[in-house]
Amino acid sequence: MNERTSSRLDLALWGILGIAMMAALYLALVDAPRERTMGDLQRIFYFHVAAAIAGLTAFGVNFAASVAYVARRERKWDRVALCAAETGVAFLAIVLVTGPIWAKPVWMVWWTWSPRLTSSLVLCLLYVAYLLVRRYLEDPDRRAMIAAVFGIVAFVDAPLVWFSIRWWRDIHPSPMLESGGIDPAMRPAFWACLAAFELLLVYLLRRRCALEALEEELERLGRLAE
Amino acid sequence: MRRLWAVFRKDLAIELRTKDSLNTMLFFGIVVLVVFHFALRSGEVEARAAAPGVLWVAFAFAGTLGLNRMFAAEKENGCLEGLMMMPADRGVLYLGKMLAGTVFMLAAEAVIFVASLVFFNLEVWGELPWLALVFFVGTLGFTAVGTLLAAVAVNTRMREVLLPVILFPVVLPVLIHAVEATALVLGGADRGELKLPLAVLSVFTVVFGTIAYLLFEHVLED
Amino acid sequence: MIEVRGLAKYYGRQSALRSLDLRIARGDFIALFGRNGAGKTTFLRILAGLARPSAGSCRIAPAAGGAGRETAARTRGRIGYLSHHTSLYPDLTALENLRFFARLAGVPADDAFLAGRIGAVGLAGREREPVRTYSRGMQQRLGIARAFLHDPDLLLLDEPFTGLDQAGADFLKRYLVGARRAGKTCVMALHDAELGHQLASRLVVIDRGTAALDAERDSLPLDAFRARYAAILGPQPPAGGGAS
């Protein structure tokens, strides 16, 4: 893909993303019915869950790119892995901020060690560790390889973390999703938010990767100028 | 196999001669026990309830020290480079190191555990074989991923400082199951209940052992 | 035997090697010159399989086909790399060190054989003392014995004479002359033009990450080589190391 079509695609994506975000906001904040016990507060759930799923998607991308790097040793996979990890951590930060905001009025505490929240936190720590490892490695080839190995380890670890925490710590009512599912009237808002966040993820990933590619190009030019 | 054994015996020989890591591991483990005594204000909390968690925190810290030391020693004279040049599969280096790390950790755990019996006033004679099994399986899980990440950490600019930061989130499932299994044994629960945590720990060891065996060489190269 | 094409290694904005092309035939004895930081060590590390190139390729003809881990391990078995490090464990004795590496290399690990190797570098009688108690020069000599314990076909040496004592330098020179006669291949990084001219069959000067000079020794007398060397790298620094 050449640069012009690429940037045109980004522009189109930007437009669609804008519309999707507006639609998601409208559906979640206005159109969706008010929840009986939690009231308007429940509306945060749409963004909370959508961010969580987008974050998980990002970590999945990181894993795939890490495997691709180990197999092929092509620089672009390292770029994708880095950008996916950063974006994923950003989305999980949204989850970890919105979680307590919701929990305080509903459960009367800021933080509950509920399996979901705890897993999100550990997942976030795992990928912050990933970014830390990258930060303290200077040689780019070596950084790419070691980061890829850590990315694989982290992603394989994630389900184990989830089941371990769930198995031993599952004392809190597991909210939403599984227990009876979502009320049909809330579904449009839920899916719209999810779609909007996934689009946001794609957009952020593309932009972030483009930036990283530019930085590498700058490095290459710097070497030539030497 | 012969080569794996050679790596293991070499680490053991050095350790027996200098006793650098073991002494530090033991001492640090016991320090952790003492610190926790004050942190938990023991006496108010029932000792048996606190013991599994405290023990595994002490084991994990001691293990982190031991693994770090093992790789720092390889870096000292560029020995790792010499090892990498050998016509052995580099995965074998991982297995040998993991084996040595496990033995060091188990040795340290034995002493830390005895100290905890005294500190926490525990009576556990009947449960000893089961505890040993839990410690063994849990330690394997810890070193399976710990050895790989120690090799990662020692190659970074932060050297040994980085290991706990990157290891603990990854090894959390091991700690959770090991603590719960220890609690089950100390709580006198039905032995059948141990199956699940022990199975999870074994799966963890096998999964990460395999990943590490396959990817270890990539961590060493630059 | 070795084919190097467009080899490059970058460290961020710095490049250790830009684009190195070199064909090394079996039996070539190459002396590699260049400024500090010209990429000599990087090149040797890539040859040794300790580092991956950022771009380009470096092929060592394998004994058997395939590119698996087995083949890679077997290829390593034919390479001996003497780096700046001795790669010895200070708390083990000379004998224990060599025994350990012999086991890994898959060569005989019996005491008589190993003691012979230790004796060859002039350390007979000290083989049961921990390496920690050795002087720097003795450690370096033992390091040479360790690096070439498995009689490799391809010798890689990174400034081997730097800091080496007279006994070590003599041994190493004798060893290299013998290896050359035996038809082994060698790449060694050096500073001393005269010494390189004396030992090598081919002279290569690396500058700005590429090969600036690549000539057969026999076609280039020492004085002519010195002139070319100075033209590329500036005047020869005072001869370093214990080499005469």
Side-chain angles (χ1 to χ4, degrees):
Chain A
M1 198 180 335
N2 68 39
E3 259 164 61
R4 280 210 26 207
T5 48
S6 170
S7 71
R8 227 179 272 160
L9 187 67
D10 273 338
L11 207 64
L13 204 56
W14 174 240
I16 298 168
L17 177 63
I19 296 166
M21 272 292 169
M22 286 303 154
L25 277 175
Y26 173 78
L27 286 171
L29 298 183
V30 182
D31 184 66
R34 174 176 293 197
E35 216 266 351
R36 216 171 306 130
T37 46
M38 287 183 263
D40 281 333
L41 191 68
Q42 176 270 340
R43 293 177 195 278
I44 208 171
F45 149 86
Y46 299 114
F47 305 103
H48 180 75
V49 176
I53 295 176
L56 288 179
T57 315
F59 295 146
V61 172
N62 171 279
F63 175 68
S66 296
V67 171
Y69 185 83
V70 172
R72 298 267 178 86
R73 288 178 191 270
E74 285 164 0
R75 235 3 210 296
K76 65 176 176 202
W77 296 120
D78 179 51
R79 281 204 297 270
V80 174
L82 162 67
C83 303
E86 280 182 353
T87 324
V89 168
F91 276 113
L92 272 212
I94 298 179
V95 175
L96 292 175
V97 169
T98 51
I101 293 178
W102 182 24
K104 180 66 179 166
V106 179
W107 290 334
M108 303 306 167
V109 283
W110 287 112
W111 186 264
T112 63
W113 290 97
S114 80
R116 279 165 209 283
L117 212 49
T118 313
S119 306
S120 306
L121 177 62
V122 175
L123 210 56
C124 195
L125 292 178
L126 269 175
Y127 283 89
V128 170
Y130 171 91
L131 295 174
L132 271 180
V133 168
R134 296 192 66 102
R135 187 178 166 159
Y136 293 115
L137 284 160
E138 264 138 39
D139 174 359
D141 299 319
R142 173 169 234 177
R143 178 174 58 220
M145 185 44 93
I146 290 186
V149 170
F150 193 83
I152 292 172
V153 168
F155 194 74
V156 174
D157 198 45
L160 281 162
V161 167
W162 164 244
F163 282 115
S164 305
I165 291 173
R166 203 176 148 77
W167 191 270
W168 296 107
R169 292 278 177 267
D170 203 4
I171 30 174
H172 298 275
S174 116
M176 305 296 152
L177 280 176
E178 288 136 44
S179 48
I182 320 165
D183 186 281
M186 295 177 172
R187 273 183 201 154
F190 174 73
W191 290 111
C193 270
L194 188 54
F197 270 67
E198 292 287 346
L199 268 174
L200 178 63
L201 170 67
V202 172
Y203 182 72
L204 285 177
L205 265 181
R206 284 186 58 86
R207 299 308 297 165
R208 182 68 186 83
C209 285
L211 179 65
E212 195 61 23
L214 275 178
E215 265 177 41
E216 261 172 45
E217 179 67 8
L218 194 65
E219 256 180 21
R220 195 181 67 81
L221 291 174
R223 280 198 299 269
L224 284 181
E226 219 178 64
Chain B
M1 196 62 205
R2 216 159 20 90
R3 291 181 164 130
L4 192 165
W5 201 236
V7 174
F8 170 68
R9 283 211 344 224
K10 185 267 303 171
D11 276 354
L12 216 59
I14 293 180
E15 189 51 42
L16 287 178
R17 198 154 302 167
T18 63
K19 301 187 186 66
D20 280 345
S21 339
L22 261 182
N23 283 340
T24 332
M25 286 166 80
L26 283 180
F27 184 68
F28 190 55
I30 290 171
V31 167
V32 170
L33 290 185
V34 173
V35 168
F36 264 100
H37 167 80
F38 291 105
L40 295 173
R41 301 168 65 189
S42 260
E44 291 169 35
V45 188
E46 208 210 324
R48 255 178 198 260
V54 174
L55 267 178
W56 276 99
V57 170
F59 292 172
F61 278 133
T64 311
L65 273 187
L67 289 173
N68 257 334
R69 181 68 214 137
M70 220 163 61
F71 279 94
E74 293 289 351
K75 272 269 169 185
E76 207 172 317
N77 264 341
C79 290
L80 204 54
E81 209 175 80
L83 285 183
M84 282 169 66
M85 284 305 302
M86 291 293 126
D89 189 311
R90 286 167 184 169
V92 168
L93 300 180
Y94 162 76
L95 293 178
K97 286 262 159 214
M98 185 206 156
L99 199 61
T102 309
V103 169
F104 294 163
M105 236 181 115
L106 285 172
E109 282 173 13
V111 180
I112 296 170
F113 175 68
V114 170
S116 78
L117 292 184
V118 180
F119 290 164
F120 289 100
N121 259 323
L122 296 176
E123 289 278 345
V124 292
W125 294 115
E127 292 133 359
L128 222 45
W130 290 102
L131 277 177
L133 180 68
V134 169
F135 288 177
F136 178 68
V137 179
T139 303
L140 274 182
F142 187 88
T143 49
V145 75
T147 309
L148 177 71
L149 294 187
V152 166
V154 81
N155 277 317
T156 63
R157 201 147 45 85
M158 293 286 276
R159 288 286 175 104
E160 296 89 357
V161 183
L162 198 59
L163 182 59
V165 181
I166 61 176
L167 176 58
F168 284 3
V170 177
V171 92
L172 193 71
V174 170
L175 293 180
I176 292 175
H177 283 99
V179 167
E180 296 297 341
T182 312
L184 286 177
V185 175
L186 289 182
D190 179 42
R191 298 299 173 236
E193 283 182 48
L194 278 177
K195 262 189 214 150
L196 174 86
L198 289 182
V200 174
L201 289 172
S202 311
V203 167
F204 188 96
T205 307
V206 171
V207 168
F208 283 98
T210 312
I211 291 179
Y213 175 80
L214 293 174
L215 298 183
F216 196 62
E217 64 170 329
H218 299 309
V219 169
L220 298 180
E221 262 171 17
D222 62 21
Chain C
M1 184 182 188
I2 302 171
E3 180 147 344
V4 178
R5 272 216 204 122
L7 195 67
K9 178 80 181 174
Y10 315 127
Y11 297 94
R13 287 202 183 184
Q14 256 96 50
S15 45
L17 286 171
R18 269 162 206 276
S19 176
L20 185 68
D21 296 288
L22 208 60
R23 285 179 86 108
I24 303 173
R26 194 175 298 276
D28 269 355
F29 240 68
I30 297 182
L32 196 64
F33 298 94
R35 286 193 192 88
N36 288 329
K40 296 182 302 256
T41 299
T42 306
F43 177 48
L44 288 173
R45 285 181 65 83
I46 292 174
L47 277 180
L50 291 171
R52 293 257 175 189
S54 307
S57 67
C58 167
R59 279 210 187 81
I60 300 181
R69 288 159 73 111
E70 277 283 305
T71 319
R74 236 175 306 130
T75 307
R76 281 202 294 276
R78 293 160 52 217
I79 302 175
Y81 175 47
L82 183 64
S83 71
H84 298 290
H85 306 293
T86 53
S87 301
L88 297 166
Y89 296 93
D91 293 306
L92 298 180
T93 67
L95 209 52
E96 285 168 330
N97 263 298
L98 290 200
R99 192 183 300 136
F100 170 61
F101 282 103
R103 280 204 184 112
L104 283 187
V107 297
D110 59 286
D111 284 4
F113 170 78
L114 298 175
R117 289 305 178 94
I118 296 171
V121 291
L123 292 171
R126 305 275 317 250
E127 55 273 72
R128 285 178 201 281
E129 288 170 40
V131 169
R132 194 181 285 291
T133 63
Y134 283 23
S135 72
R136 175 82 204 141
M138 289 161 70
Q139 291 196 16
Q140 263 184 304
R141 273 188 267 155
L142 189 62
I144 296 172
R146 187 205 65 78
F148 303 129
L149 189 64
H150 53 303
D151 290 317
D153 298 330
L154 172 62
L155 315 176
L156 305 172
L157 302 93
D158 197 356
E159 299 184 15
F161 293 99
T162 308
L164 198 59
D165 53 20
Q166 192 63 48
D170 287 343
F171 169 78
L172 188 59
K173 268 192 255 178
R174 250 182 293 126
Y175 181 82
L176 288 174
V177 169
R180 191 177 158 187
R181 227 174 267 140
K184 308 217 165 188
T185 315
C186 172
V187 182
M188 56 183 149
L190 287 172
H191 276 301
D192 187 332
E194 193 182 327
L195 185 64
H197 195 273
Q198 178 196 335
L199 289 171
S201 68
R202 203 171 140 192
L203 306 161
V204 175
V205 178
I206 298 186
D207 188 38
R208 293 166 200 279
T210 58
L213 169 74
D214 181 358
E216 293 295 321
R217 194 223 24 196
D218 294 337
S219 66
L220 198 65
L222 180 58
D223 288 337
F225 173 61
R226 275 221 170 108
R228 295 279 302 272
Y229 182 98
I232 299 168
L233 299 180
Q236 157 97 349
S244 53

